[in-house]
Structures are given as structure tokens and as C-alpha cells.
Amino acid sequence: MADAAGRLTKLAEEVLGTPLPVRIRAWDRSESGPPGAPTLVFRNRRALRRLLFKPGELGLARAWVAGDIDVDGDLYDALDLLAGLVWERGTDAPKPQRAAVLRALARPEVRRAVRELPTLVGAPVPPAPPAEEARRRRGPLHTLLRDKEAISHHYDVGNDFYELVLGPSMVYSCAYWPTPDATLEDAQRDKLDLICRKLALKEDQRLLDVGCGWGSMVLHAAREYGVRAVGITLSEEQATYARKRIAEAGLADRVEIRVQDYREIKDEPFDAISSVGMAEHVGRTRYAEYADALFALLRPGGRLLNHQIARRPLADEEAYRVDDFIDRYVFPDGELAPVGRTVAQLEEAGFEVRDVEAIREHYALTLRSWVANLERHWDAAVRLTSPGRARVWRLYMAASALSFERNRIGVNQVLAVRTPEPGASGMPLRARTWAG
């Protein structure tokens, strides 16, 4: 079984029809590939069995989460080199890649290489998925119960874990960086304040924060702008944490945290609504309902700030599918839409969209800061969750940072107004000053 790495490299290059951009190190300590490149480490044969029974991204994801595969070297460099082969997102790339693999398998030399797999793989038994994989969901997408279960999978993994990753701000969305060398805390504070200024918040106004997380937005708005705020989340753990923060800040008379779906709110109207990093969970089939609901909850003249990740548009939008790693391990049932579709659906609901600010570079900086926090506190993160869960977060945040940097996905703040019938929006003539 000597030189397993060389055999793996040869097989991969035959199937893919291109040289591997990374080195391979196998369980027998053999190595193959370009010198100095990041090394993909196959710790055992089980990693190959995962790829054999689930070829492509899901097999690699399971092997990574289980610790059967690792990277020796810079993780960002490795992911960047592998992106065109496995993790390319937001494009039409997967279909031609699959066709290329099928063409490769028709070649005699590739078939001969594939026939060697049993001697590399060992017992031909499919390994069980890692415990961190979300169980299969049944029934219609985005019902109240199914959304609550999906949110719980992602957010109810321990507030102590999120404190390690997010830092003291406890804000789990794109920060707004004054300069690349600013601190994460400063950038998150600037993001919260930017939203408050875009919404033109004033004392004693009612603010609804949809998907309030651990309460950072409502705390900032109540403390700095004197509003009365309601924050809603579907996570019991987030709600408990946010209520404690609010009580400690002496703002319990101004801020209320509810475990509630936006579709269940009945105490409108609100003067302003913020929805930050929540709409990605809504889904295509429910987005019109989401936009209609927020429009109905807002008073005439009120403002909505919708902060949402966007993907690149596809030539065939019906072909869009969430990739397996994200769906099984990170955001079950989450979906991304092009920013143009988001703007259109908000306007179809009756909103007047007044500003769209693209801030994708800011999210790359944010994610790299979160990855650095996780790596710095790795042993504690593993103790608080599991080795597999920590590996999920490291991979998804690093890969996402690269996706933002390479313009595969973006993030946008959309400011919209429920403009009254006479047409006075209440917006300043030069809105980008955000003076009121």
C-alpha cells in the first residue's frame, strides 16, 4: 500500500483532467503534489470511503467535520486553490464539472485508475455521517415549526461558544469597517450606529428588530437613541442571553425580547424595522410574505433597513440549489437571492426603496476576524461544543470570507420607506449623510 498519496493524486488528476493545485499526504505518510503548496491530509481510509459513497462537496464536508481530512498549511490558500474544483458557488460551474467527470470516466486509463479504489478504500461500507449533520427535514419549507428547528440547529450551540467567536459585541452579522486595521468591536459598533442613523431613530419611537440575535441592535438603539424596542428571535438561548444583557444595562423598561416569528406579531405599528442577517432564512417561497408582513407592521412614513447576503444571479434561476455543506451543517433551509430580486420584492410589497449599499468587502474582514477568534480559542471552542462543530464553523467562515472577496456572494443594506399616499418620504435630499 506504499505511496497512497501518489495513487490518490494520479486518480484525482485523471478524473478531473487537470493537475491538483495542492499536495496530498496519505495515512501511510506518503506525499505527492506541488512542493510548497498547502497539503490536503487524508488521515485514514475512511476519508476515501466518504468520497466514494458521496462524491463531491458533501463527501469532503463529512470527511472534514469528522476529522478524516485536514489541511496542513494556510486554510485560506487551500480553499482558494480548491474552489474551482469543489467549492465554486453562485455560478453555473457544477454542471459542466459533473459532465467533465463523466467524460473522464469513459476513458480507459481513468477506468483502470478507478478500479484501484477498492485496494485504497478498504472495507466498502459507507461511514455514518458525523453527529453534527442536521437530520433530514420533512414537510413544506419555512413553516413556523420547521423554521424554528432550523434556527435552533445553527444558533443553539451555546452562548459561550459564540462569545469566543464573535467577541464582546455578540453581533453575528457583517461589521462596518472604518479601516481594515480597525478592531472588530469598533466595526460592529459602527455598523449598529449606521443602521440607527439610516432609520433616523428618535427618542420614544418604536423599533422592531427582526432576528435580534443576542440583543446587540436593540441595546444600542435604546441606549444611544432612546427608542422603545422589541427584538424577536426563534432561539431560546439567544433570548435568555439578550434578556440578561438588557437587565444588566438597566433597559428592561425600554427593550422587550420575544421568542416569536415575524408572522406572529400583532402589536403594530412600529416606527422603524431592522432586519439584519435574518432574511437569508426566509426562503424564496416565503419572501413575498415576509415583505408584506414587514410592510404591514410599519407605520406610514416608517423606514425598513434590510441587511441581507446576496448571491450572483444565474442564467437559469430555477437551477439554484443551496450547496450540501451549508444546508446540512450550517444553515438548514437557508437560501440566498440576487439583490435585484430582493429589491423587486420589497417594492412589490409596497415599499419605496431609497438606498442600496453594497458592503461585501466588510463581510470578508468580519469573517476573517471571527476565524482568528475561533483559532485563538480553539481548545475552549472544542470543549464548549465538539471537535466537529468547531471544524464546521472554521470551514464555513473561512470559505465564506473567500466567497465575499472573490465576488461570488455579496451583502447589501437596503433602506426602504413605507411612503404615504401623498408621496412625502421624509428622506433628506442627500441621504448618504444619514443625518436624519
Side-chain angles (χ1 to χ4, degrees), residues 176 189-199 220 225 305 357 359 413 434:
Y176 196 72
R189 184 198 61 238
D190 285 358
K191 188 272 296 296
L192 296 176
D193 206 65
L194 176 68
I195 293 171
C196 291
R197 286 182 283 119
K198 286 184 175 183
L199 290 172
H220 184 87
Y225 290 83
L305 192 286
E357 185 174 4
I359 55 174
Q413 289 192 349
W434 306 123

Side-chain angles (χ1 to χ4, degrees), residues 288-361:
E289 180 183 6
Y290 162 80
D292 288 342
L294 298 194
F295 185 83
L297 290 169
L298 198 60
R299 67 163 177 82
R303 299 184 188 182
L304 164 70
L305 192 286
N306 188 78
H307 176 121
Q308 182 176 341
I309 298 172
R311 60 175 170 81
R312 303 296 297 168
L314 300 176
D316 176 11
E317 281 293 323
E318 293 303 313
Y320 169 68
R321 298 290 183 274
V322 180
D323 64 63
D324 285 330
F325 171 60
I326 295 295
D327 189 54
R328 301 288 185 95
Y329 288 96
V330 185
F331 294 108
D333 295 341
E335 296 179 77
L336 302 183
V339 64
R341 184 61 186 138
T342 296
V343 168
Q345 289 191 285
L346 290 174
E347 293 209 318
E348 287 163 9
F351 285 105
E352 180 188 5
V353 171
R354 295 300 303 244
D355 186 80
V356 179
E357 185 174 4
I359 55 174
R360 67 175 175 84
E361 291 88 353

Side-chain angles (χ1 to χ4, degrees), residues 21 64 80 134 158 161 212 252 256 261 271 276 317 345 377 389 423 428:
W64 171 269
D80 213 14
F161 171 79
C212 67
E256 178 187 2
D261 191 280
D271 298 294
V276 183
E317 281 293 323
Q345 289 191 285
H377 301 292
R389 182 67 63 193

Side-chain angles (χ1 to χ4, degrees), residues 159 212-216 218-219 231-233 235-252 255-260:
N159 293 327
C212 67
W214 294 270
S216 299
V218 288
L219 272 171
I232 62 170
T233 176
S235 166
E236 296 282 356
E237 289 192 21
Q238 285 185 334
T240 299
Y241 189 99
R243 288 168 184 149
K244 183 174 182 290
R245 293 177 76 192
I246 289 159
E248 290 173 348
L251 291 169
V255 180
E256 178 187 2
I257 300 295
R258 304 173 185 171
V259 178
Q260 188 177 37

Side-chain angles (χ1 to χ4, degrees), residues 11 14 104-116:
L11 174 60
E14 290 281 8
L105 290 173
R107 301 203 308 269
E109 65 272 21
V110 176
R111 289 202 301 272
R112 283 195 297 272
V114 170
R115 281 197 290 271
E116 290 187 31

